[in-house]
Amino acid sequence: ASIREQPPSPWAPSTSFILLAGCVFSSMGKQTRAFMAPRGGKKGAKEGSSKKGGAASGTSKKGGKKSQGPRASAGSRSAASNRKAARWEVKEANKNGRGTRRKRHHGGGEAIWETKQRLRVKVLQRHLQRLGEGAAVRAERRKLMVELGLLTADAGRAKMAMEQLAAALELDPEDADFAVRAPLLCLYMEEAKTEEAVELVIGPLFKPLMPAAPAKKTSKASAKAPKTAAVAKALAGDAGAAAGGGGDVGGGVRHAAGGGESRFAAAVGLYSRAVLKYIKVAVLGEHRTDPGNAAAEEVELVRFFCEARAQNPFIAEFLAFAPAFEKHFPSDAELPPIEETPLEAVERPLREALEYICRHRQLAVWMDTDQDIRKFVREQLFDEEDEEPGVEEEPPMRPLPAAAAGDGQILLRWRKAREEAMELWAEDLQAEAEEDAKGEGEGGEEEEGEGDEEEEPDDEDEESESEDASEALAGSEKRRGFG
């Protein structure tokens, strides 16, 4: 049977309509792909957009990380390894450098302590922001500023610490509780702010803590006279205090009357004054304006060192034999608060010395002056000298109490450090003796060479010398009756 043809539907699309729709959709697809493409330009083998292109460019991804492809040059790999080695060296240098803090282990006691310190700093900052500026809260505001300054100084942020302590000093210029002057002076010395440090040392905060200058000027020949007088007297008092189990750290030289804060401030002022004078005289040579002033400044330098040692001899001992003491008391050692050590305790002067050297990081200030600073301190304060009549012989180092079962860790470690210091002392003396002998040998050889050159006279000189000798001999025989 023939298939009955259906009449065409009025809604059926025509052939021309289908062709037109295909062209429209094709153009829309091209525009969509162009819109979705990256802005850097067309994709291709040059950019490595495809898998093959990525492998050819040497930057294929695997596991979310970039890996060098087979075509990566050896120069790029060596440059990367050099940069890695340089970064490692910088990290090691920062870790081993003076005055820097080593990285703490996560979750350890030191890391927890540092976290508590940071949180405490944030709490103090917020408290200061809420606190007003009135006179009623002046004392409380100063107290918070002092605590904030000390915390930031312990964290190594010296600039912020100096700002906080200077602001606290403005609120109380007299610093009645001795809480600001010593830490602020140590920060000035650590940051090499010489002008500010000198102004603070000679100002009204430290001047009452200094001993009075001698009325009579001392000659250059007696430059070491203060050592046998003031220091010997101080060490005599210290030895009696140590034997009795207590006493004043200054011994016979009590410049700072009062509690431990004033005593520690006096030690900081005296040692800072000594190192500032050493930089002026021995390093920069700014005292050579005229011969008289140069001699006076050199005598004053020795006197400053002797007065500082009389205030706290353990600081001088640490400075003179620093390589031996640094092994037992590193610069970044965590020390308990100094308030926990009673004033009458034997370890109190040791704790004050460590407070100055370790917590306030003043060892780097002294060691960075020049390479002869240890030798100068040792020669002026510890090396033997000719005894003077009427002065009893004192040990070069302050005696420590006899070992007991209840001795603290600071005292035990100080004894071990002192044993190594004595060995270091002997090694230094031997090395200096060898250098002196070597220098004298070289000087003698030069003199012999010069003498050999002079022992070649001319013939005329020889004839004149022989004639003079014969005439002198004839004259002497005639006077004696032989002629």
Side-chain angles (χ1 to χ4, degrees), residues 329-342:
F329 303 99
S331 58
D332 58 349
E334 300 294 344
L335 299 171
I338 193 172
E339 294 80 10
E340 295 181 1
T341 306

Side-chain angles (χ1 to χ4, degrees), residues 210-389:
M210 304 289 180
K216 187 177 180 180
K217 292 186 178 180
T218 313
S219 62
K220 187 176 180 179
S222 58
K224 294 187 178 182
K227 175 181 175 180
T228 56
V231 176
K233 185 178 179 182
L235 291 177
D238 291 341
D248 192 3
V249 68
V253 184
R254 292 184 175 89
H255 310 315
E261 295 82 4
S262 61
R263 196 168 63 186
F264 176 69
V268 172
L270 289 167
Y271 276 95
S272 299
R273 184 183 66 168
V275 71
L276 287 170
K277 178 64 73 172
Y278 180 83
I279 293 173
K280 178 183 178 182
V281 174
V283 180
L284 301 179
E286 296 179 350
H287 66 300
R288 299 191 185 99
T289 55
D290 58 82
N293 181 71
E297 294 259 10
E298 291 173 1
V299 172
E300 192 175 37
L301 172 64
V302 177
R303 180 171 63 85
F304 285 176
F305 271 78
C306 293
E307 290 173 353
R309 187 197 183 191
Q311 184 64 32
N312 191 319
F314 296 106
I315 298 177
E317 182 179 344
F318 198 117
L319 296 174
F321 309 101
F325 281 89
E326 276 186 299
K327 299 177 184 178
H328 302 273
F329 303 99
S331 58
D332 58 349
E334 300 294 344
L335 299 171
I338 193 172
E339 294 80 10
E340 295 181 1
T341 306
L343 289 175
E344 64 277 3
V346 179
E347 295 184 358
R348 178 69 184 206
L350 302 176
R351 183 63 187 83
E352 291 177 357
L354 297 177
E355 185 81 0
Y356 172 76
I357 292 173
C358 297
R359 184 187 178 188
H360 293 290
R361 301 180 291 274
Q362 295 301 293
L363 179 63
V365 176
W366 283 80
M367 296 298 110
D368 291 343
T369 54
D370 64 359
Q371 60 183 0
D372 297 329
I373 180 63
R374 287 202 312 108
K375 180 180 178 182
F376 183 85
V377 175
R378 194 199 72 226
E379 289 180 348
Q380 299 298 329
L381 303 179
F382 294 96
D383 284 352
E384 295 181 359
E385 293 182 356
D386 297 335
E387 299 181 8
E388 293 185 3

Side-chain angles (χ1 to χ4, degrees), residues 111-121:
I112 294 173
W113 180 83
E114 289 186 352
T115 303
K116 291 180 179 180
Q117 296 294 91
R118 288 196 297 268
L119 294 176
R120 180 59 181 168
V121 167

